[in-house]
Amino acid sequence: MPKILVVGGGYAGFYTAWKLEKHLRAGEAEVTVVDPRPYMTYQPFLPEIVAGSIEPRHAIVPLRRHLKRTEVITAKVTYIDHAAKKATITPDVGEPYDFEYDHVVVTGGAVSRTFPIPGLADQGIGLKTVEEAVAIRDSMLDNFAKASHLPPGPERDRLLTFVVVGGGFAGIEVFAEMRSFASALLKFYPQIEFDDVSFHLVEAMGRIMPEVSLETSHWVLKDLAKRGALVHLDTQFASCVDGNIELSTGEKFESDVIVWTAGVMATPQIVRHTDLPIEERGRVVTRADLRVGTDDEPIEGAWAAGDVSRVPDLTGGGVGGYCVPNAQHAVRQGKLLAKNLVAVLRGEQPKDYIHKNLGAVAGLGLGTGVFQSGKIAIKGFPAWVMHRGYHGLAMPTWERKFRVFWGWWNNFFLGRDIASLSALQHPRAAFEEFAARPKPPAPAEDKPENSSDEKAVEKKADKPVTKSADKAPAKKAPAKSTAAKKPAAKKPAAKKPAASKEAEKDSADNVA
């Protein structure tokens, strides 16, 4: 039976395995998915997780629950040797081992692309995982709680200043959701006023959201300005050492929460450890039919899709002639890849990937959104409804759809969640604080120096006595030692030399 190895369980990887289960006949092939995380993350929901509008667990799809006929391995693929059709799997526990396959599907996804900006690696946080979204939300809640106890000043201003770097779709969405969330928190913290909270978006280009028209992006800027958010265009993020922000314009301020959304790159762990062809930007060279290789020479048994791949955009709308790394392409490529792989197994020809983007929709906080399709632009509340409807239905599996829509319905009546779970970062802290521990051993009692000296003499004297039949002198030593422990004030000073001479005499007798 052919073995199919899917490297990565994100959008493309999950949909490939999910659709393979649908299209493969019983016993036609074995499918294995390897990913360090046992779930797929629906990333368009991450901004709403930050804003407390979606329960974090509802935005993920557990692989083992929904891939019923696929083997799921929670581990990393650390090398792909396609010449030998072998991959090295490295689990968290145990030794690495080789996995032989007939077809490999590379869908390792992407990670945040950063630059060597001073302080960024220590102070910044990305927005690619559920864990990062939860951490941003908890940081905002903790900062509000701390700031409510402080008088106006630099320390308070630092806690209530939030920065987002990157003006693409992800950056604008999380920036707007954070601003909306902060405004909703004010009623719970009467000590903090609207003007006390500062939001800064830093974008190196002269505009935001290149996926929409220039007019629509201007409307978004005006909407953000009404909410008191500052957008720095044509500005470089220069430094953030210890939270001290420096911009290329010379502006300086302090912040504890710095969210980085300025681009992504193919997962280095995958593309740097394989003999598959990699292009200059670090993506797997992929044909339009999703097979790895060039148009003239496909590589047999190797496939790729999603952010880790460089797939030609046959509609002509892609950047540089290739599909941009986003969820729409990853999902659709995964579905087609499954069909093409099954077709090749059955001796049929695969089809090329062609998808024309019909539009873009973004949520800008509770009740506000924007939609763009060609020259048609919808703004405000209708666009927000479209945003939720589209992404709610795009969430894989009906089980996860129900959880998401049910959460939105509850929030409509109960309001968004404002509970901070920052203690999850150190879950054993409470247990360690009150846990009973063994008592340390009691320290030895302090004794006068002359007592220790006399005991040393007694030990030396006792050693030969144990071999001798005469034990009478040995019985006198403890008595003298006991006498030596008595306070000096109660003993006549004149008797001290006599006692010393007598001890020396007994010691000499014992030695003799």
Side-chain angles (χ1 to χ4, degrees):
M1 189 185 300
K3 292 184 178 181
I4 301 173
L5 173 64
V6 181
V7 181
Y11 286 115
F14 171 78
Y15 271 94
T16 297
W18 199 28
K19 296 304 178 181
L20 280 173
E21 289 190 348
K22 177 181 178 181
H23 300 305
L24 286 171
R25 303 188 187 102
E28 191 171 9
E30 293 180 0
V31 182
T32 302
V33 174
V34 182
D35 194 284
R37 293 185 176 89
Y39 53 81
M40 186 214 85
T41 302
Y42 192 75
Q43 295 182 6
F45 282 156
L46 295 183
E48 291 202 50
I49 292 175
V50 172
S53 298
I54 289 182
E55 166 63 29
R57 284 189 175 88
H58 296 171
I60 62 175
V61 181
L63 300 180
R64 287 184 172 85
R65 176 166 184 171
H66 295 283
L67 298 178
K68 303 183 183 302
R69 294 189 290 118
T70 300
E71 181 185 9
V72 177
I73 300 176
T74 305
K76 296 179 180 179
V77 173
T78 52
Y79 194 83
I80 300 175
D81 183 3
H82 190 66
K85 290 197 173 181
K86 186 183 300 183
T88 301
I89 297 178
T90 304
D92 289 337
V93 179
E95 297 296 325
Y97 60 93
D98 291 335
F99 184 96
E100 296 183 355
Y101 60 81
D102 297 286
H103 291 266
V104 63
V105 179
V106 183
T107 57
V111 297
S112 297
R113 182 188 63 183
T114 59
F115 305 100
I117 298 173
L120 178 60
D122 301 320
Q123 302 293 325
I125 185 171
L127 191 67
K128 294 291 292 180
T129 67
V130 170
E131 293 82 0
E132 289 174 324
V134 172
I136 296 169
R137 184 196 66 182
D138 289 345
S139 296
M140 291 185 64
L141 290 168
D142 290 349
N143 282 13
F144 265 78
K146 295 174 184 176
S148 65
H149 298 289
L150 295 175
E155 186 177 359
R156 192 172 189 260
D157 293 341
R158 177 188 176 108
L159 291 171
L160 296 178
T161 300
F162 306 95
V163 180
V164 176
V165 184
F169 248 61
I172 291 297
E173 283 191 301
V174 72
F175 184 68
E177 290 286 359
M178 290 171 67
R179 174 69 266 189
S180 175
F181 187 40
S183 299
L185 289 176
L186 294 177
K187 65 180 180 181
F188 300 102
Y189 296 93
Q191 307 89 342
I192 302 175
E193 298 182 359
F194 182 86
D195 293 335
D196 294 337
V197 186
S198 300
F199 279 83
H200 297 265
L201 177 78
V202 183
E203 171 54 47
M205 297 177 61
R207 61 163 296 179
I208 61 171
M209 303 178 73
E211 298 87 349
V212 302
S213 67
L214 188 60
E215 181 183 356
T216 302
S217 69
H218 287 165
W219 181 87
V220 175
L221 287 174
K222 292 178 182 178
D223 181 72
L224 292 174
K226 291 179 183 178
R227 303 194 224 171
L230 301 176
V231 179
H232 306 266
L233 298 178
D234 293 315
T235 304
Q236 301 283 342
F237 191 74
S239 177
C240 60
V241 178
D242 296 330
N244 298 303
I245 311 299
E246 295 183 18
L247 305 181
S248 59
T249 57
E251 188 173 355
K252 297 181 180 180
F253 51 89
E254 296 183 16
S255 174
D256 276 346
V257 181
I258 304 166
V259 183
W260 181 270
T261 64
V264 297
M265 65 179 181
T267 305
Q269 178 184 327
I270 302 297
V271 298
R272 294 178 184 174
H273 302 90
T274 180
D275 58 351
L276 295 173
I278 307 298
E279 49 100 48
E280 61 276 3
R281 294 189 60 183
R283 296 175 295 179
V284 180
V285 177
T286 310
R287 293 159 45 100
D289 60 7
L290 304 178
R291 287 185 288 181
V292 175
T294 62
D295 292 339
D296 300 328
E297 188 177 352
I299 297 177
E300 182 184 355
W303 306 76
D307 295 353
V308 78
S309 64
R310 189 196 67 177
V311 180
D313 190 342
L314 301 183
T315 66
V319 178
Y322 299 100
C323 297
V324 297
N326 62 25
Q328 289 190 35
H329 285 306
V331 169
R332 288 170 173 82
Q333 288 172 6
K335 293 179 179 179
L336 179 63
L337 196 157
K339 293 181 179 179
N340 283 352
L341 206 163
V342 173
V344 169
L345 289 176
R346 297 172 183 173
E348 303 171 2
Q349 290 297 317
K351 297 180 180 180
D352 289 343
Y353 173 75
I354 302 176
H355 171 68
K356 186 176 182 180
N357 191 358
L358 299 179
V361 61
L364 303 176
L366 201 61
T368 305
V370 62
F371 169 80
Q372 182 81 47
S373 178
K375 295 182 179 180
I376 300 175
I378 302 176
K379 311 175 187 75
F381 182 78
W384 176 77
V385 174
M386 296 172 65
H387 162 75
R388 284 208 161 178
Y390 171 77
H391 285 296
L393 293 175
M395 184 71 181
T397 78
W398 284 104
E399 179 256 340
R400 307 317 280 185
K401 286 181 176 65
F402 180 82
R403 291 180 187 272
V404 170
F405 280 107
W406 183 252
W408 283 336
W409 179 259
N410 288 336
N411 287 350
F412 180 77
F413 296 100
L414 305 176
R416 69 178 96 202
D417 187 7
I418 64 165
S420 172
L421 297 178
S422 57
L424 284 175
Q425 306 298 326
H426 306 283
R428 296 187 65 252
F431 180 82
E432 290 178 349
E433 182 180 359
F434 300 103
R437 292 176 172 82
K439 294 182 178 180
E445 295 183 2
D446 295 334
K447 298 179 180 180
E449 294 182 2
N450 59 344
S451 174
S452 61
D453 292 340
E454 289 186 7
K455 281 189 175 290
V457 174
E458 290 172 6
K459 288 181 179 179
K460 291 181 179 179
D462 288 344
K463 287 181 180 179
V465 172
T466 56
K467 297 180 182 180
S468 172
D470 186 11
K471 296 183 181 180
K475 296 180 179 179
K476 296 181 180 180
K480 296 183 184 300
S481 176
T482 305
K485 293 182 182 179
K486 294 180 181 180
K490 295 183 181 181
K491 290 181 69 177
K495 292 185 179 180
K496 285 184 179 179
S500 298
K501 290 181 180 180
E502 185 178 356
E504 292 176 1
K505 181 179 179 182
D506 289 345
S507 177
D509 291 342
N510 289 337
V511 173

